[in-house]
Amino acid sequence: MKLQIHDHHPFKICQLTDIHLGDYPFNDADLKTLASLKVLFDTHSFDLIMITGDLLWGLQSSDPAKRLGKLYDLLNQYPTPVAITYGNHDTEGIFSRTDLREIESHLIHPADKHHSMIIDDRESYALEIYDDQQLAHIAYVWDSGAYSHWQKTDQYAAVEPEQIDWFLKLPYARTSKKMDLGFFHIPFPEYQSAANQIIDGFNHEKVC
């Protein structure tokens, strides 16, 4: 689904992360999560729903299609494009990221992916946002992986060099005046230094 700015209004993005749905049938906490999301979508309108990982507790590995299907059934009730990347818990069980990406076909309004690149079962892609017929903004989406294969002191994975190379070779102009965004699950270590010099917004929890 094409991402479009409407009548020059601000492009509104709802970012969801760490939903952590458990096994099906859902427990009370999971049902509360889905009910809260329904209230959110019934009372607010968005131009993009961006889900940035840990949709599932992957170790509770029975039938992720059923678990994600219930979430996607909810999202399908609204005409809002949806984009997804994954986190460290999604594939801790027997199901791969390929398996989870295949379940995305259940979405009625997936956002259009551009320049998709998969390395080590981790997908990076671009989301193009248009104002009328003019390309106005890019949202870059990186699957930042799960757990590190580098230094033993690094618990979590990071964006791989191949993913950085992919970004650098994309055919988009990047200037300091252009407002583009990047989405991924695992924070950069540099977020801590950025948080110490935050210019706008709030930092309500530590970078981990």
Side-chain angles (χ1 to χ4, degrees):
M1 190 173 183
K2 185 177 181 180
L3 301 181
Q4 186 73 50
I5 295 171
H6 298 286
D7 300 322
H8 306 291
H9 289 168
F11 188 84
K12 293 178 66 178
I13 300 174
C14 173
Q15 182 181 0
L16 303 174
T17 195
D18 294 80
I19 297 169
H20 285 298
L21 293 175
D23 213 352
Y24 190 84
F26 292 136
N27 62 23
D28 289 344
D30 292 330
L31 294 173
K32 181 178 179 180
T33 295
L34 294 176
S36 298
L37 290 176
K38 180 169 175 51
V39 171
L40 173 67
F41 299 136
D42 283 344
T43 54
H44 296 78
S45 61
F46 301 101
D47 298 299
L48 171 67
I49 297 170
M50 182 75 235
I51 306 177
T52 51
D54 283 2
L55 290 75
L56 304 172
W57 289 114
L59 287 176
Q60 299 175 16
S61 58
S62 68
D63 204 350
K66 183 169 288 187
R67 287 188 278 160
L68 290 175
K70 294 299 181 182
L71 172 63
Y72 297 167
D73 284 343
L74 172 62
L75 297 174
N76 287 340
Q77 297 176 32
Y78 307 92
T80 308
V82 178
I84 298 171
T85 189
Y86 296 99
N88 52 297
H89 287 294
D90 289 305
T91 52
E92 287 180 320
I94 63 174
F95 295 95
S96 68
R97 279 159 150 73
T98 296
D99 296 325
L100 300 186
R101 286 193 298 270
E102 289 175 354
I103 301 171
E104 291 177 29
S105 63
H106 191 76
L107 289 167
I108 294 177
H109 304 294
D112 291 343
K113 297 178 180 180
H114 299 270
H115 305 288
S116 171
M117 189 268 304
I118 297 175
I119 180 76
D120 294 331
D121 204 20
R122 294 159 55 170
E123 183 181 29
S124 303
Y125 58 90
L127 299 171
E128 298 180 352
I129 302 169
Y130 287 84
D131 192 349
D132 292 327
Q133 299 303 312
Q134 184 74 29
L135 180 61
H137 305 286
I138 308 295
Y140 302 97
V141 182
W142 290 274
D143 185 333
S144 52
Y147 298 101
S148 179
H149 61 80
W150 295 344
Q151 300 176 18
K152 292 182 179 180
T153 55
D154 293 334
Q155 179 181 359
Y156 294 106
V159 172
E160 295 284 346
E162 293 89 346
Q163 294 173 289
I164 297 171
D165 190 52
W166 164 84
F167 170 75
L168 293 173
K169 291 179 179 178
L170 288 173
Y172 302 120
R174 291 186 292 273
T175 70
S176 59
K177 296 181 180 180
K178 202 167 186 297
M179 177 63 73
D180 293 331
L181 295 172
F183 291 98
F184 40 88
H185 182 73
I186 297 173
F188 292 154
E190 291 81 2
Y191 271 21
Q192 187 59 60
S193 56
N196 293 336
Q197 303 176 52
I198 195 164
I199 297 172
D200 190 19
F202 302 93
N203 177 34
H204 288 306
E205 59 183 304
K206 68 178 183 178
V207 178
C208 64

